[in-house]
Amino acid sequence: MLLLPRGNCLADNAYWCPAYFTNHYNRHTILSALSEHVSLVARSVAIALVLSLVIALLVRRSTVARAGSIGVANLLYTIPSVAAFALLSSFLDPRHDTGAVIVLTAYNLILLLRNVLVGLDTVPEDVVEAARGLGYGRFRLVTRVELPLALPSIVAGVRLATVSTIGITTVAALLGFGGLGGLLVAGLNAHPPFHAEIFTALVLCIALAVVSEVVLLLVERWLSPWRRARST
């Protein structure tokens, strides 16, 4: 058993402990967990965004189809995350994170689908008619006019989905899917609980949410040059 001197943050089980980071194995574990967390969040949000765009473009003209798609997305969102992860892990290979991506994508659908539909609804009809008068076909009208004008609402949905997914992804660690939740589970399961590991996971989750928010705001500004010009 390794005896640590009194006053050492590891021996004192402190929440803030620089010695925890100086260990090569700990650094590798932290970076690996962070990388896996980012991968799960990015893949699930990206897939959900593509699905939401496709669904929104298909159902937005039909009141029944629109209400039905939102209802299904709402239903998926009400399923407890632990139950969903457990259910899919029993059918899919636990060595892969496919189940986690499916669950996270399902949770993101309602957040993104609503924002995409709202964004498309806010596109002025006179702008659409003007584009048609200029000879814009259906595909060009959607990609060059409607989606760019709906971008603020879509990006707002992506920001909300990303921050939400960063938190929900930690639950996936309860079933061995990893990410920063793995650090939380390992720290909580230690006897006594390993405070430095728990604190590190919490701080990284918060930092990841803040960085994601800033990056997405910059992306929105870059994709909306007309808004930059108007603000100046």
Side-chain angles (χ1 to χ4, degrees):
M1 178 178 180
L2 177 62
L3 297 178
L4 297 171
R6 295 183 63 83
N8 184 288
C9 60
L10 287 174
D12 296 338
N13 199 16
Y15 283 96
W16 174 250
C17 184
Y20 171 67
F21 304 100
T22 57
N23 181 277
H24 175 74
Y25 174 77
N26 289 341
R27 286 200 307 273
H28 175 75
T29 301
I30 294 169
L31 292 176
S32 178
L34 179 61
S35 175
E36 187 172 0
H37 205 97
V38 171
S39 176
L40 284 170
V41 172
R43 282 181 289 156
S44 59
V45 172
I47 295 172
L49 178 59
V50 172
L51 291 175
S52 298
L53 288 171
V54 173
I55 295 171
L57 292 172
L58 290 175
V59 306
R60 62 175 174 151
R61 304 297 184 188
S62 170
T63 303
V64 175
R66 183 181 182 128
S69 61
I70 292 178
V72 171
N74 270 323
L75 180 63
L76 293 173
Y77 195 77
T78 61
I79 300 174
S81 57
V82 174
F85 284 126
L87 180 64
L88 282 180
S89 65
S90 63
F91 291 102
L92 299 174
D93 188 345
R95 294 172 297 178
H96 302 290
D97 58 8
T98 306
V101 173
I102 292 175
V103 173
L104 295 172
T105 299
Y107 278 121
N108 285 323
L109 272 179
I110 187 59
L111 301 176
L112 291 169
L113 181 58
R114 280 181 172 174
N115 278 67
V116 173
L117 287 170
V118 168
L120 292 173
D121 290 342
T122 58
V123 177
E125 190 61 32
D126 56 343
V127 174
V128 175
E129 291 300 324
R132 286 174 179 159
L134 292 173
Y136 278 49
R138 185 63 191 149
F139 179 79
R140 193 179 177 198
L141 179 64
V142 170
T143 57
R144 300 291 297 275
V145 178
E146 293 181 309
L147 287 181
L149 291 178
L151 191 64
S153 179
I154 294 174
V155 174
V158 173
R159 287 162 53 195
L160 177 60
T162 300
V163 173
S164 174
T165 306
I166 289 172
I168 297 175
T169 302
T170 58
V171 180
L174 294 174
L175 297 167
F177 288 117
L180 293 174
L183 296 180
L184 282 173
V185 171
L188 290 170
N189 286 339
H191 300 285
F194 190 6
H195 293 158
E197 192 166 28
I198 297 171
F199 183 72
T200 298
L202 291 174
V203 170
L204 286 177
C205 280
I206 295 172
L208 187 57
V210 172
V211 171
S212 299
E213 182 79 4
V214 173
V215 169
L216 288 171
L217 283 172
L218 293 175
V219 169
E220 178 188 5
R221 189 172 177 82
W222 176 65
L223 292 175
S224 309
W226 58 89
R227 300 185 73 191
R228 294 202 305 270
R230 188 171 56 188
S231 63
T232 56

